[in-house]
Every structure is written in structure tokens, then in C-alpha cells.
Amino acid sequence: MVYLGMSTKTKRYRTKSSKVYCSEKVCCAQDNTEAVWDCEECESKSCNDCKNYIHARPNKAGHILKEITPIPPEQLCSIASKCQEKNFANIWCDDCSNTFCLRCNDTFHSINSKRRSHRRLTLKDYLARKIALEATRHREMVDEDSGEFESLELALERSIMNDACEKTTSTETPHVVSKSTPDLHHEDDDGSLKFVSVFDNDSDLPKPVKASSDLLPSQQVGENQQRSQLTSSTHSDKSEFSSLPNGMDKFDSALQDFDDRLGLHIEDERFKDCQSFILIDNHEAIRVKDVNELVDKLGCGADQDVKFVSIFGNTGDGKSHTLNHTFFGGKEVFSTSSDQKSCTVGVWAAFNPLLQAVFLDTEGLLGISDNENQRTRLLLKVLAISDVIIYRTRAERLHNDLYRFLGDASEAFMNYFQADLEKVSRKHDSNIHDLGPVAVIFHETTHTDVLSGKDANTPELQLRTGFQKLSRDLKAFAELKYVATKTTRPPTDFKILETVICEQLKDFSKRSPRKPAILFETLQVLNSKFSGDIETETALTFPDQYFTCKSVCLSCGVRCLRSMNHSEDHFSKKRCKFQHQFENKIYLCKKCVDNGEEDCLVLPKTSASEDGVWLGLVKYAASGYVLECRKCGIIYRSRQYWFGNTDPDRGNAVVKTEIRHVWPGLNTNLQGTHNAARRLIDGVHSITDVISSFSAKPTKMMSDWFNDQIAPTYWKPNSEILECHQCKTSFADNDSKHHCRRCGEGFCDECTHYRRLVPERGWGGLEVRVCEKCCKTDPNSDSTGSEGEVPQVTARKVAEGVTGTIGLVKNAVDYPLEYIKDSARPSYWIPDDKIKQCCVCEKNFNYKLKVHHCRACGLGVCSDCSKTSKPVPSRGWDHEVRICDNCANMPCL
């Protein structure tokens, strides 16, 4: 076979040349000389020169030579001047009335030519159309001697050329149909020419064209109507040509070949009584009254055990056509249509008496529906009652909707349907080993390859990998099957699907057959439990999350409507709801609101802004909390009168309430910010801090001098210890210095947390503080103790006992103080026991790094990160208070 091609940058053509070249190549005058003779004994083809030379020998003189018959002109490309290879014809042009190979067609009907809009189709489709035209016209012939029958016979003989034409065109050469638009064809990925087939349409079933001379190839008629025209003309005219049996044999053979190629099949008589009926409408209403009506419409016995097979898929993928041609011999049990509207609405059922199975046809996904959520719920009910489900897809590559539908259906089955199915099964003693159905994915492609197993990576394993990538599970299905076919030329081969489904229907290990009454009762149970109105909203293709701020209100859960990375305050049109833990109800000064003022927020406070700390606490004890407006001053006191005090927003109200959103990461203006107790503690602390700051250094110096007086002689004096002997950390004025009881050097607390016995220094049988080096030293290695040191050690031990007792008393006092501090904590402060690290520098808190609270955000902060002091009116702090560096950098506190 010779393929004509071009460079990789241009189009590639796959056309077979009709030339037969000399295979002997002994006396050829030039390369690629055409062969003229065929010798069966030599099994070679030769030109005249090679034939005369080879067969002149005595041993080959008796060979029988046959002259190679020229190819009929109607099978060759008619553009002889251009087609130098004498290619077989692939395309017929109605406007040019000529045949073309693919190369000449592209040249003669180029995009820049006026002939680009000519009506073209494949040669095979042209001959099929011609047969249909001749078959409908031959009834008009009344005179056998007129020669009309000869033209008919000639046309029928030419129809037999289809078998030869199949060899002339590569299997990769597509069907061609003329289109009255310049966009006739396109190039595939490999550069080959692609056309639209005359048989390709939405109905999935190839149909012949009308028998009219001026009919466009894209126009079609129904299969049954065209079939009836052909068969009626055949039976009515056979008597006229009874004297020419050979001619009629050719006619019958050509007609049968025409039927086979167009996918027309005579309906199987075994399914003549099969018909479908609507079982559940699109509003989830069961359309049969009881079991008896269901059995009558199915046409099966009430005690007959049957299995249920349902089919799912996107709209337009040919689900009804698949059921008709796979399980009902091509009869249109389930209606099909070439219209854009879906031909299946709701759920339709039909019984196959040979397979003892009920087939359920469902409404397609992705189709236009009044309520997509209701349709999806209906499909899940059908899936739950099925023994075998078929997911039909014609996608060239498997889409996400397949994985999402089956994965979500599996989860819904386990969560909502399994318990009810088990109840019905136990009630009827149904022997169901696994309540989940068997899922069969039927994948049909035209151009791309289907999934194939390589090594241990089977198609089913590849599918399960796809489900895992989308975080979907198939635990509800008893088994997953993958059935695929690649249809490069209609009709579709459904035999492999039929084989797989029949095997599942005969397999009772996963699902046992059931009586129709169980199906009806199961439907009623599911319909009574899962029915009623459902939201019509569906997921948007481009949701707000793609464009708007990701912040969500902590109180009501609505999103901010500002754009991403906005610099303004968060905003939402929806009203918020009050929650006590957020205290998101605020007060607005009524007088300022009535005057049109915007910044009129008032907060409950313990004291007015002009009152000092101690005076404000005294007034708070006498008159309660106050509401102070920045412009109007004090507008309310909670205990202004001895009796008859009302809330500020009731009676003669002085404020208006408003529920505001609580956005994360921002300082929300909360109502419950009473801080009287904390202000009292802060006042006491301020006094004690001043006193301790003046007395700390002299006290420390006196303590170090006293400790040196009672220290053992081998201890290094405190005045000489300026840094830790091990880590070399310098000591501050108030830092504690610790001595190793063995070597006597000065260390920090972290370097002397070791304990061991030091009897050689006179410390008796108790473990005492030592450094790391002395802790690891062998006690028997040396002896450094002396009897003269024992009294000094004893004095130190007495001093440590007294100091420990005082420390216990101090701790006993500190513990209640900590409880008092926690009870005085404002509501927005984080409790001390939940604070692990500084909110700014993220250093972990310990006994050295103390915890402080920011008065603005309430988070824990260290001393180094909270050196800024500012008033925080929104929290009730009118005077300068401690705030963290994060809040200090905020533009509006």
C-alpha cells in the first residue's frame, strides 16, 4: 500500500494508489515501472520487459500469465492531470460531478477557492444514496424492453463496488458529507483531513437520506419510514422481474448490503410485545397505583424473580438507543429523538422476557431542568433499587462529572438509603449478599483510545485512581466494571456490553433476583422518606469565592462582599444576628443619629473619660457604668436614681441598638467591656511597681551581702559573679545567682537544675543543687570535703530553710491573687492558662518571660513587644494603657 504524504509541517494524506509496480525489477527501463502481467506461479507482477526476459527461459516458458485488468475509471480520481499516482477515489462532489482522492480534493476545493463550498460526500455514501434513489424509481418502469431495467441493473452492479471501495480507503479515513458552509473540514492532531459524516447526528442511529435528486445529504428521514420504502418497493416489483432471477439476486444482495452498512436491522420478533411505560415522573411521583398495575405494564408474573438494570449518563449520549439495540434487538422500546429537547423525562421501565430483567431508562444529566437537585435525588433513588447500573458516556476522555456522580451517589447510598433497603430486604427475606449494585461504565470513543490494561494497571484500577484523586469513594458498589468500544464508523458495537450485563444478571453471588412487589415497596419507602420541595439553587460556575474577600462573619457566617485584597472595611448587605459570645450588639447615640451623624458609637464604661482611676472607681461603685458620647458627653448612668432606672434602649431611650458583623482578625466594638475590677488591680500594681522599683536594687545588694557572710568558704562570692560559669550569660541587677554545692561556682537557674548527693562537702544525705559537670563526676573519684567546713555549711542550710518557708508563704498568698486576677479579667481577654507564646514575637512564656495582656486585642504579649501605651476607647480604656505592637501599628485603633 502506498501512502501519499507531505512534510510534518503540512497536511498528510492517506490515499491508496491504483498503480501496481513491477516486482521483478530486472529489465525495468526506469524506477517504479508499472506492472502489466501477473504470474501466479512466480507470485509476482512484472512489466513487459521483465516478462519477456524472465519467461523466455525454458523452466518458466510454460507459466500462465494474466494481464492485469485496469481499474474502472469510476473508482479512480477523475483529476488525471493532478493525480499522477492514479489514486483511488474517496470523495464525490455533486457540483463538480467528479470523483476525487483526498489530495486532489484538498487542492481543487481549497479554502481560497470559490469551490470550497461545493457539496461533497464519501464515494461509499454516494453509491449508497444512488442505490436508494434507483430502488425508489424502478417501480415506474413499465416496459422490460425499454432498457430501463438495464440501467437499474447497472446501478445495482455498481453498488457491489462498495466492498472494493472499503479496500481503497484506509480505516482511518473518515466519512465525508457536504456542508453548505466554507467550514467543510478540519485537521486532526496528526494533520489528516477530517469531514463530517452523513450518518453522524444526535440520534446515535445512522439513517439513510431521502430518495430525492435535489436532497441535501445532511437531511434525513426516520429509519422505519426509509426501511418501509425500500422493502415495499422490493416486494411489489419482484413479480415484474421474475424472468430475471439473476438480476433480482443482485438486487437483494445489494439491498442487504445497504441495510448492513446503514445499521438497519429487522426488528426481532421476540421483542414485538415489549414496550416501555413511565414509572416515576420528573416530580418524583410514582405513576403506577399498585403492584398489580406494575406487573401488568411490565408483562411479567407477580411471583417471577427479576433483576433491575438502570442506565445513567449525560443528556444526548444515547442512553435510550443503547438499551434498545443492546437488550431489545433494535426495537424502539424506549423513545429516541433527534431534537434538542430530552426525549426521556422521568424514569421509564420495560421488561425483557429473555433476560428476566427490568430495564430502567433515566433522564440525562446536564440537561435543562426546572430543578436539577430534584432530578439528581430521583436518579439516586433509581440507583438504590437497581441491581446493575450502566453509566453511558461518549466523551473522548472521561470527565469529572462521571467521577463526581458515582462517588457522591456511593456516599449518599451509604448514608441515607442502606438502612431502609436492609429493612425491606429483611421483611421479605430477600437473599441479598451485598446491597450495593454493580457499576458498569460503558465508554464509547471515536478518535481517542479507550482505557487499556498494562501489566497490573487494569482499567478498573485506573478508574479507582481517578476517584481517589477527587476524594471520592466507591464502597457502596459491589463491583466496578469498565466496558469500552472505539467506533470509528457507525454503527456502535454493543455486543461486549450485552455480554457483560448478561454475566452480571446470571451472577447471584452479589445480588439475587427479586419480585416486582419488592421493587414497588422499596420505591414507596424511599419516596415517602425522601420527597417534597427541595432548593433549586445549584453550584455556580464562577462562585463569589473566586472574586470576593475570603473573610466570613464569625456570628452569622456571611462573606464579605468586597473584592480580594481590598483596603476598606469589610462589608456585607445581609443583616447579622446577635450571639452572646461575640457581644456584637452596639449602642449608637440617638441624638447624634437623628442629627445625621455617623460616628456616634457609645460603649459601657466604668468611668467617664475626665475621671481619674481612683475617682472613676468610686463613682462606678456609687452610680454604676456610664455611656459617654464623644459629642454629647455622658448620656446615661445605670444607677443614676435610687430606683426606677431603665435600660438605655428602653422607655425614654437615649441610644439605638445595632447588630454588627464580627469579622476575624479585627477589633470588634463589643458591648461587654466592663473593666472596673481590672482597673483596680492595675492601680494597685502601679503603686507596688513604683515601690519595688526603688527598693529592688538596695534589697538585692543587702541580700547578696548577707548570703556571702553565711556561705561556705569554697563558694565564690556573689560580688565576684558577673556571669554564669557555664553558659556565660551576664547577670542583671535583679537576676538570681545560684551556687553549685560541689564546686562552689556561680550559675544561672537553668544551668543548676541538676541534683545529687554531696556528702564530701557536708551536705548530708539529701540531694542538693549542682552544675552539669559536677553531676556527671564520679562521687568516688576524689574527696574535696573537710571537717572545718561543716559549721559554715550548716549555717547555709539553716538560711535556706528559712528562705524556703518564706517562699511557701509567698506562694500561698500569690495563688489567691492569681484567682482574683482571672476573675477580674475582661471578657475579651484570653485566659492566662491558654496563652503559650507571645502573639508578636512568638516566644514561649516561662518563669522569666512574663505574660501581659494587650488592652486592645486581649491577646498575650511579652514585655518587649508591648512597650507602647495608647488610649483604647473602644474597649473602655480612656487613659493610656499597654497595647501590643500589632495593635499599635493599626491606623485606627
Side-chain angles (χ1 to χ4, degrees):
M1 181 178 295
V2 179
Y3 291 96
L4 300 181
M6 301 179 67
S7 65
T8 56
K9 296 183 180 180
T10 58
K11 298 178 181 178
R12 297 172 58 193
Y13 302 97
R14 300 190 176 185
T15 303
K16 182 181 178 183
S17 173
S18 64
K19 287 184 177 182
V20 180
Y21 297 105
C22 177
S23 59
E24 298 291 351
K25 298 184 179 179
V26 177
C27 302
C28 297
Q30 58 183 3
D31 294 337
N32 297 332
T33 303
E34 291 191 48
V36 182
W37 302 96
D38 183 10
C39 180
E40 295 182 357
E41 298 182 44
C42 296
E43 296 182 355
S44 64
K45 297 176 177 59
S46 59
C47 61
N48 287 324
D49 295 336
C50 293
K51 186 267 295 186
N52 295 334
Y53 175 77
I54 294 174
H55 290 85
R57 301 173 185 176
N59 59 338
K60 294 187 178 182
H63 288 185
I64 300 175
L65 298 174
K66 293 182 180 180
E67 188 174 1
I68 298 176
T69 305
I71 303 298
E74 57 268 18
Q75 296 186 23
L76 299 178
C77 178
S78 60
I79 311 300
S81 60
K82 301 291 184 182
C83 188
Q84 300 177 358
E85 293 296 327
K86 298 182 181 179
N87 295 331
F88 281 101
N90 302 99
I91 299 171
W92 168 266
C93 179
D94 283 341
D95 295 275
C96 299
S97 298
N98 284 326
T99 56
F100 297 88
C101 65
L102 293 178
R103 185 188 185 97
C104 294
N105 171 74
D106 191 60
T107 304
F108 200 74
H109 299 89
S110 63
I111 297 178
N112 298 326
S113 173
K114 295 181 179 179
R115 294 184 291 270
R116 65 181 181 274
S117 60
H118 283 188
R119 297 175 297 179
R120 287 162 284 163
L121 65 160
T122 60
L123 182 63
K124 188 175 180 179
D125 292 342
Y126 164 69
L127 294 176
R129 185 184 70 176
K130 192 170 184 179
I131 294 173
L133 296 177
E134 296 294 343
T136 54
R137 290 179 181 176
H138 81 282
R139 295 186 58 189
E140 301 176 0
M141 296 183 299
V142 295
D143 189 1
E144 297 181 7
D145 298 331
S146 62
E148 291 294 330
F149 179 74
E150 294 296 327
S151 62
L152 173 60
E153 185 178 11
L154 178 60
L156 295 177
E157 289 177 351
R158 289 184 178 180
S159 69
I160 304 175
M161 292 191 306
N162 289 325
D163 294 335
C165 292
E166 290 180 357
K167 300 178 182 179
T168 65
T169 307
S170 171
T171 56
E172 298 181 17
T173 302
H175 291 298
V176 190
V177 67
S178 64
K179 295 287 182 179
S180 58
T181 61
D183 237 61
L184 177 62
H185 57 273
H186 65 278
E187 290 183 33
D188 204 358
D189 296 337
D190 59 352
S192 58
L193 200 60
K194 294 296 180 182
F195 295 85
V196 184
S197 173
V198 69
F199 299 134
D200 293 340
N201 64 5
D202 295 337
S203 64
D204 298 338
L205 180 64
K207 296 182 175 68
V209 296
K210 289 185 178 181
S212 176
S213 58
D214 57 350
L215 181 66
L216 291 177
S218 59
Q219 295 176 314
Q220 300 177 348
V221 296
E223 173 186 347
N224 296 334
Q225 178 182 355
Q226 184 67 22
R227 173 65 190 170
S228 61
Q229 293 177 0
L230 296 177
T231 53
S232 62
S233 63
T234 303
H235 293 298
S236 61
D237 295 329
K238 275 188 177 182
S239 58
E240 300 181 21
F241 308 111
S242 59
S243 59
L244 300 170
N246 294 334
M248 291 311 301
D249 289 342
K250 292 180 179 180
F251 176 81
D252 291 338
S253 177
L255 186 60
Q256 182 63 37
D257 178 69
F258 175 69
D259 285 352
D260 293 339
R261 286 185 288 107
L262 296 185
L264 305 179
H265 303 281
I266 300 176
E267 295 177 359
D268 198 327
E269 292 294 330
R270 297 174 296 179
F271 306 107
K272 63 180 180 179
D273 296 331
C274 296
Q275 58 182 0
S276 63
F277 63 94
I278 184 169
L279 179 62
I280 309 175
D281 61 18
N282 58 331
H283 299 294
E284 300 182 279
I286 301 176
R287 298 296 293 272
V288 290
K289 299 179 181 178
D290 50 25
V291 179
N292 295 329
E293 184 180 356
L294 175 63
V295 171
D296 292 340
K297 289 189 175 183
L298 287 175
C300 64
D303 297 331
Q304 188 173 358
D305 292 333
V306 296
K307 281 194 172 184
F308 302 91
V309 182
S310 57
I311 189 168
F312 303 90
N314 294 334
T315 182
D317 276 353
K319 300 182 299 299
S320 304
H321 176 73
T322 300
L323 293 179
N324 293 336
H325 284 265
T326 307
F327 307 107
F328 295 96
K331 180 182 178 181
E332 193 171 343
V333 176
F334 298 101
S335 61
T336 59
S337 173
S338 59
D339 296 336
Q340 286 293 324
K341 295 183 179 180
S342 177
C343 56
T344 303
V345 178
V347 179
W348 292 69
F351 177 67
N352 186 315
L354 300 180
L355 299 178
Q356 299 294 306
V358 176
F359 291 88
L360 304 176
D361 189 15
T362 61
E363 185 175 350
L365 298 167
L366 303 184
I368 299 177
S369 175
D370 296 336
N371 193 331
E372 294 185 13
N373 295 331
Q374 188 177 39
R375 177 181 62 190
T376 304
R377 185 173 64 183
L378 172 61
L379 296 180
L380 292 179
K381 296 178 186 177
V382 177
L383 183 144
I385 65 174
S386 302
D387 299 297
V388 182
I389 67 167
I390 305 171
Y391 192 95
R392 172 74 156 100
T393 176
R394 298 178 66 185
E396 292 296 324
R397 294 176 178 85
L398 296 177
H399 295 166
N400 285 348
D401 51 11
L402 179 150
Y403 295 99
R404 290 196 175 97
F405 175 79
L406 293 180
D408 295 342
S410 173
E411 184 177 359
F413 182 92
M414 300 296 293
N415 295 337
Y416 306 109
F417 296 137
Q418 188 175 25
D420 296 319
L421 295 176
E422 289 178 350
K423 291 180 182 178
V424 177
S425 176
R426 288 193 297 266
K427 179 179 178 180
H428 294 273
D429 295 329
S430 180
N431 185 22
I432 299 180
H433 302 283
D434 192 330
L435 289 175
V438 177
V440 179
I441 297 177
F442 180 48
H443 186 199
E444 181 184 3
T445 64
T446 303
H447 304 289
T448 58
D449 295 331
V450 298
L451 296 181
S452 59
K454 296 180 180 179
D455 300 331
N457 192 18
T458 62
E460 287 77 10
L461 185 58
Q462 298 177 42
L463 288 173
R464 292 187 181 275
T465 303
F467 282 104
Q468 292 176 359
K469 289 182 179 179
L470 295 177
S471 301
R472 297 304 196 272
D473 196 348
L474 292 179
K475 57 184 177 182
F477 297 112
E479 189 177 0
L480 178 65
K481 291 284 187 179
Y482 178 76
V483 180
T485 179
K486 184 176 181 180
T487 306
T488 57
R489 182 174 299 175
T492 304
D493 184 10
F494 296 104
K495 292 181 180 179
I496 184 173
L497 175 63
E498 181 181 5
T499 302
V500 172
I501 299 301
C502 290
E503 290 177 355
Q504 295 299 326
L505 294 177
K506 295 176 182 178
D507 185 6
F508 296 163
S509 61
K510 302 179 183 66
R511 301 276 295 192
S512 300
R514 294 165 289 169
K515 293 179 174 56
I518 300 179
L519 167 70
F520 185 76
E521 183 176 349
T522 305
L523 277 178
Q524 285 183 322
V525 170
L526 296 180
N527 230 29
S528 61
K529 189 173 182 180
F530 306 106
S531 61
D533 295 336
I534 188 173
E535 294 181 358
T536 59
E537 295 183 0
T538 57
L540 299 175
T541 305
F542 301 102
D544 294 340
Q545 290 84 338
Y546 289 3
F547 315 103
T548 58
C549 176
K550 64 179 181 180
S551 297
V552 179
C553 176
L554 300 178
S555 180
C556 63
V558 300
R559 291 180 61 90
C560 173
L561 298 181
R562 304 280 189 192
S563 62
M564 287 185 174
N565 304 319
H566 65 88
S567 57
E568 302 89 350
D569 295 336
H570 293 294
F571 169 75
S572 178
K573 294 181 180 179
K574 295 184 179 180
R575 298 183 61 181
C576 191
K577 59 182 180 181
F578 174 76
Q579 290 198 29
H580 176 72
Q581 64 267 31
F582 298 116
E583 296 285 351
N584 55 331
K585 181 175 70 172
I586 64 171
Y587 291 146
L588 301 176
C589 178
K590 182 179 179 182
K591 183 177 180 181
C592 294
V593 172
D594 295 340
N595 293 334
E597 300 289 342
E598 295 182 357
D599 188 12
C600 53
L601 177 67
V602 293
L603 295 173
K605 300 188 297 184
T606 57
S607 61
S609 58
E610 66 271 11
D611 295 336
V613 176
W614 296 104
L615 180 59
L617 292 176
V618 173
K619 289 185 177 180
Y620 173 75
S623 303
Y625 71 90
V626 299
L627 294 178
E628 182 179 12
C629 176
R630 294 181 180 179
K631 296 183 178 180
C632 303
I634 299 176
I635 59 176
Y636 176 79
R637 285 188 179 272
S638 60
R639 293 195 298 272
Q640 184 174 2
Y641 308 105
W642 287 101
F643 61 89
N645 295 295
T646 60
D647 292 337
D649 55 343
R650 296 182 180 180
N652 190 15
V654 295
V655 296
K656 289 185 177 181
T657 60
E658 181 179 323
I659 309 299
R660 289 193 176 181
H661 294 286
V662 183
W663 304 108
L666 296 180
N667 292 330
T668 54
N669 294 324
L670 306 179
Q671 178 184 349
T673 56
H674 302 293
N675 50 17
R678 185 66 207 184
R679 293 182 66 176
L680 176 61
I681 293 176
D682 287 347
V684 175
H685 279 179
S686 62
I687 296 175
T688 58
D689 289 343
V690 172
I691 296 175
S692 62
S693 62
F694 283 106
S695 62
K697 191 171 182 178
T699 303
K700 181 64 175 175
M701 294 175 61
M702 184 64 69
S703 175
D704 290 344
W705 176 84
F706 178 76
N707 290 331
D708 288 341
Q709 300 305 314
I710 64 175
T713 57
Y714 69 94
W715 278 21
K716 189 175 182 178
N718 287 308
S719 59
E720 299 179 6
I721 300 174
L722 302 180
E723 62 180 13
C724 176
H725 184 70
Q726 180 173 340
C727 65
K728 306 302 179 181
T729 302
S730 299
F731 289 111
D733 293 337
N734 297 328
D735 289 342
S736 298
K737 303 173 184 177
H738 302 278
H739 286 80
C740 174
R741 269 52 173 174
R742 188 176 184 276
C743 64
E745 294 291 341
F747 299 88
C748 63
D749 182 69
E750 294 181 359
C751 296
T752 56
H753 63 276
Y754 304 96
R755 296 290 187 270
R756 61 163 287 183
L757 297 174
V758 190
E760 64 272 15
R761 291 295 193 182
W763 293 96
L766 297 177
E767 292 184 348
V768 291
R769 183 191 297 265
V770 293
C771 64
E772 181 180 6
K773 181 180 179 180
C774 295
C775 182
K776 296 179 181 180
T777 303
D778 186 4
N780 300 323
S781 60
D782 60 350
S783 178
T784 57
S786 63
E787 295 296 331
E789 296 174 353
V790 173
Q792 293 182 353
V793 172
T794 303
R796 177 65 190 181
K797 290 168 66 176
V798 172
E800 288 181 357
V802 174
T803 305
T805 303
I806 297 175
L808 291 176
V809 175
K810 178 178 181 298
N811 292 335
V813 176
D814 287 342
Y815 281 123
L817 289 177
E818 293 297 328
Y819 287 116
I820 294 174
K821 289 172 59 180
D822 185 69
S823 62
R825 175 178 55 86
S827 58
Y828 68 96
W829 278 23
I830 305 299
D832 290 359
D833 57 344
K834 295 183 179 181
I835 300 175
K836 304 300 180 183
Q837 60 183 8
C838 175
C839 65
V840 180
C841 64
E842 298 183 355
K843 291 182 179 179
N844 293 327
F845 291 113
N846 50 39
Y847 71 96
K848 284 188 175 182
L849 191 64
K850 301 299 182 181
V851 180
H852 302 278
H853 282 83
C854 174
R855 269 55 174 174
C857 62
L859 299 178
V861 63
C862 65
S863 177
D864 294 338
C865 299
S866 58
K867 295 181 178 181
T868 306
S869 297
K870 282 185 179 181
V872 188
S874 60
R875 297 296 194 182
W877 307 94
D878 296 317
H879 305 281
E880 291 186 351
V881 288
R882 181 193 300 268
I883 60 175
C884 65
D885 292 345
N886 292 338
C887 296
N889 297 328
M890 296 182 63
C892 53
L893 189 59

